[in-house]
Amino acid sequence: MKSLVTLLVLAVAAPAAAEDPAARPIEVTAAPSFGFFVDRDENEDIGSFGGGVDVSLRYFNPRGHGLFTAGRFEGRTQLCIFDCASARNGALGTVSVGWAYRADFAARPHRAVWFDVTPHVALQAGYLGGDFEVGLVGMEVGFDVNLHVRGFVVGLGGSYAALGATRGGPIDSGVFGVRFGWAGGPRRPTTP
């Protein structure tokens, strides 16, 4: 916590860039993530939970609209409360591609610290291996809140996906994580 406060103080005290920090069109982030999924077709399976990593790349045009891509890998284990014959474990890998929007707040010329909110909607496909062995395809919606300190990004984010499985019934999946990354790219003028 002390190092985060030090980073913020140094970023605010240092001379700021003359251009609008929101002019950086690219964000690359990685997030340790925690997730769950619920197979709505199995009576004995309350759900599964796990953790992993989420890597995303976002590109925004001057109006804030952009391309969202993400890759995730997570280990999952079954959460059983009542009669479970055997616990099941697996690894979940997914890829998402879709649309994102970045709404900037306090992003002005000569300002070193600002934040944004970034909702996204995407198609998602993946595979749940191990004891589960099913392919997955569906839609994902998510929302992130990010703090920008110069070119660095720190934020909280989460997403929900409604997925169809190649075997079994529909699956609800969710992910929550803390994002760390970089915002940059070729500088360009922003619209007023």
Side-chain angles (χ1 to χ4, degrees):
M1 180 67 179
K2 188 176 182 180
S3 60
L4 179 60
V5 171
T6 304
L7 175 67
L8 289 174
V9 168
L10 288 174
V12 172
E19 66 277 340
D20 187 349
R24 297 182 175 115
I26 298 172
E27 284 184 13
V28 179
T29 60
S33 62
F34 302 95
F36 71 91
F37 79 88
V38 177
D39 186 343
R40 291 187 268 152
D41 203 35
E42 296 191 19
N43 295 329
E44 81 278 359
D45 189 358
I46 299 299
S48 299
F49 66 95
V53 66
D54 176 323
V55 177
S56 70
L57 170 69
R58 300 163 194 222
Y59 177 82
F60 298 99
N61 69 21
R63 296 182 184 268
H65 297 276
L67 174 68
F68 166 83
T69 60
R72 296 183 184 95
F73 179 79
E74 302 169 25
R76 295 291 172 109
T77 188
Q78 186 178 22
L79 174 63
C80 288
I81 295 177
F82 299 111
D83 185 23
C84 295
S86 63
R88 298 185 296 170
N89 299 309
L92 174 67
T94 61
V95 175
S96 301
V97 176
W99 167 87
Y101 181 75
R102 180 169 72 181
D104 302 319
F105 296 93
R108 303 287 183 270
H110 307 289
R111 188 168 284 184
V113 178
W114 55 282
F115 72 96
D116 68 34
V117 294
T118 311
H120 71 267
V121 177
L123 294 174
Q124 187 177 87
Y127 184 75
L128 180 59
D131 298 332
F132 299 94
E133 300 292 337
V134 295
L136 305 168
V137 65
M139 292 289 295
E140 170 189 4
V141 295
F143 187 81
D144 300 305
V145 177
N146 304 303
L147 174 68
H148 294 254
V149 180
R150 302 233 174 254
F152 298 100
V153 180
V154 178
L156 296 174
S159 66
Y160 165 78
L163 304 168
T166 55
R167 185 173 43 88
I171 292 176
D172 296 318
S173 177
V175 176
F176 176 78
V178 179
R179 302 174 67 224
F180 300 96
W182 167 83
R187 302 208 182 270
R188 62 180 179 209
T190 57
T191 57

